[in-house]
Amino acid sequence: MIDLRLLREDPDRVRASQRARGEDVALVDSLLSADERRRSSGVRFDELRAEQKQLSKQIPKATGDEKAELLKRAEQLKADVKAADAERDAADAETQELLLRLGNLVHPDVPVGGEEDFVTLETHGTIRDFGAEGFEPKDHLELGQRLGAIDVERGAKVSGSRFYFLTGVGALLELALVNAAMAQATAAGFTPMLTPALVRPQSMAGTGFLGQAAQDVYHLDKDDLYLVGTSEVALAAYHMDEIIDADKLPLRYAGFSPCFRREAGSHGKDTRGIFRVHQFDKVEMFSYVAPEDSQAEHQRLLDWEKQWLTSLELPFRVIDVASGDLGSSAARKFDCEAWIPTQGKYRELTSTSDCTEFQSRRLSIRVRDGKQVKPLATLNGTLCAVPRTIVAILENHQQADGSVRIPEVLRPYLGGREVLEPVAK
């Protein structure tokens, strides 16, 4: 959530942010009104309580008619205090409810617009000319089936659409990707973490995934637990309700977990293969830093993502995501999109978001710097979302005979294997 003081002092900035996101601008005025009622009712409660305490000192000393009047006033005060308390609680609850619906403040450098209004910041690698090489590229599913690596038919039989099995070299390729990604993260100073896939409502809400993203989340009604769509949720909530000493920052974690997404609203999109699925594994980077360091940390996370995709020898571009395509917790987001030959376009493989103090305020995570205690900043960045990375590797490194060349960085984790050979024609 944002700082209420900032809302009071500069509501136009918050309105502009909501407008850029394509969200409800009227929410800002509703929140200002609720906050004013919260503060005024709190003042009235405090005044009535002070009068009540003063009266309690006067009554024992009074006699006769004076005492009767004081007792009468005490009864009225009791009712007034109760009413003021209820009014204060109601206004506070309304303020908090509205505050939780407000997205993070969009960074001023973010391009304004919808999904297609991103700005391309840089491009890396060379897109292969398969025509010049004399063959038509196959898509990842055909390649995966020939390699004995992907089985979507049995995935659908067992679990339904958008589920799959990774088999044989497909399973080994996932393990190689996870181990190589974790090795890079560990070398960069991240603490490896295996995180829970089920979290409590306060963890999911605290990271901002029960707002605009709620329709994409799996909920277990009987247990009131949520399946995470990313280990970001568990890593953000890891220090919930804690105060961290400033000299321990930055804290950097690399979490590995299964991820679950309903993919609501994606009917008809990416239905072939394993690009858009309901369950997948992912290595996620997560940082806790001082607020003034968040922009520099955001660039570092992006650099680590670029290092990873470069090591996989993939052609990719970096985009500055437009305001209307940001998640509610992100002030700014960079995506790395790899070239997918059979689609003839770049598709998202990694993403990194600067969430500033938005999540830490909701999760009550603070930093102690001397005598000052304040919210800190959180950031997240995908290092390796496994299925999409497999898609990009298979399609970009395929050979004319249906084999797939293994990037050098992965070979130590595949027993030195340099090529994946077809097992089925």
Side-chain angles (χ1 to χ4, degrees), residues 25-26 59 61 64 86 97 108 133 140-142 144 175 234 350 352 372 382:
V25 177
I59 289 173
K61 302 175 183 177
E97 189 271 330
E133 295 182 33
H140 75 277
L141 182 57
E142 183 177 351
L175 295 173
T350 73
T352 177
Q372 187 180 23
T382 309

Side-chain angles (χ1 to χ4, degrees), residues 214-227:
Q215 63 174 351
D216 236 7
V217 175
Y218 285 103
H219 182 227
L220 281 64
D221 291 325
K222 288 185 179 180
D223 305 286
D224 197 19
L225 292 171
Y226 290 89
L227 284 166

Side-chain angles (χ1 to χ4, degrees), residues 135-373:
F135 74 99
E136 186 76 18
K138 301 175 179 65
D139 76 5
H140 75 277
L141 182 57
E142 183 177 351
L143 289 164
Q145 289 171 333
R146 291 190 178 197
L147 294 170
I150 302 172
D151 191 335
V152 293
E153 287 81 6
R154 290 187 177 92
K157 178 180 71 175
V158 171
S159 302
S161 63
R162 299 194 190 277
F163 286 94
Y164 61 97
F165 284 86
L166 291 181
T167 57
V169 293
L172 294 177
L173 183 55
E174 157 148 355
L175 295 173
L177 284 165
V178 170
N179 278 293
M182 274 296 190
Q184 178 189 304
T186 303
F190 286 79
T191 300
M193 304 277 277
L194 297 179
T195 63
L198 287 166
V199 298
R200 292 175 170 174
Q202 55 265 48
S203 299
M204 191 66 82
T207 41
F209 285 96
L210 291 187
Q212 67 188 85
Q215 63 174 351
D216 236 7
V217 175
Y218 285 103
H219 182 227
L220 281 64
D221 291 325
K222 288 185 179 180
D223 305 286
D224 197 19
L225 292 171
Y226 290 89
L227 284 166
V228 298
T230 166
S231 60
E232 171 195 342
V233 177
L235 293 172
Y238 185 64
H239 288 293
M240 181 168 55
D241 298 323
E242 295 181 19
I243 298 175
I244 299 168
D245 289 333
D247 59 7
K248 292 184 178 179
L249 298 180
L251 290 173
R252 298 188 178 110
Y253 300 113
F256 172 74
S257 79
C259 306
F260 304 87
R261 299 184 184 181
R262 295 182 61 241
E263 292 295 346
S266 66
H267 181 72
K269 295 180 181 178
D270 302 306
T271 56
R272 179 173 168 81
I274 63 170
F275 191 85
R276 190 184 298 273
V277 292
H278 289 308
Q279 177 183 341
F280 61 95
D281 295 327
K282 180 157 68 88
V283 177
E284 181 83 1
M285 300 179 289
F286 196 89
S287 299
Y288 295 85
V289 302
E292 59 271 19
D293 295 334
S294 73
Q295 291 187 52
E297 183 72 4
H298 198 198
Q299 188 61 51
R300 280 189 285 268
L301 289 171
L302 176 60
D303 288 343
W304 281 314
E305 291 178 345
K306 289 158 56 180
Q307 175 189 338
W308 170 245
L309 295 179
T310 299
S311 75
L312 295 177
E313 303 167 44
L314 296 173
F316 68 95
R317 70 181 181 186
V318 179
I319 67 169
D320 198 348
V321 176
S323 57
D325 201 28
L326 295 173
S328 64
S329 60
R332 194 176 194 183
K333 181 167 72 167
F334 301 126
D335 284 354
C336 291
E337 300 182 326
W339 179 257
I340 307 299
T342 61
Q343 295 185 22
K345 57 185 176 181
Y346 290 98
R347 300 298 304 273
E348 178 193 338
L349 244 63
T350 73
S351 181
T352 177
S353 296
D354 181 0
C355 297
T356 60
E357 303 166 26
F358 186 82
Q359 292 176 330
S360 67
R361 288 182 183 277
R362 295 163 75 106
L363 292 165
S364 189
I365 308 169
R366 293 167 291 168
V367 59
R368 179 186 287 109
D369 189 359
K371 293 183 178 180
Q372 187 180 23
V373 175

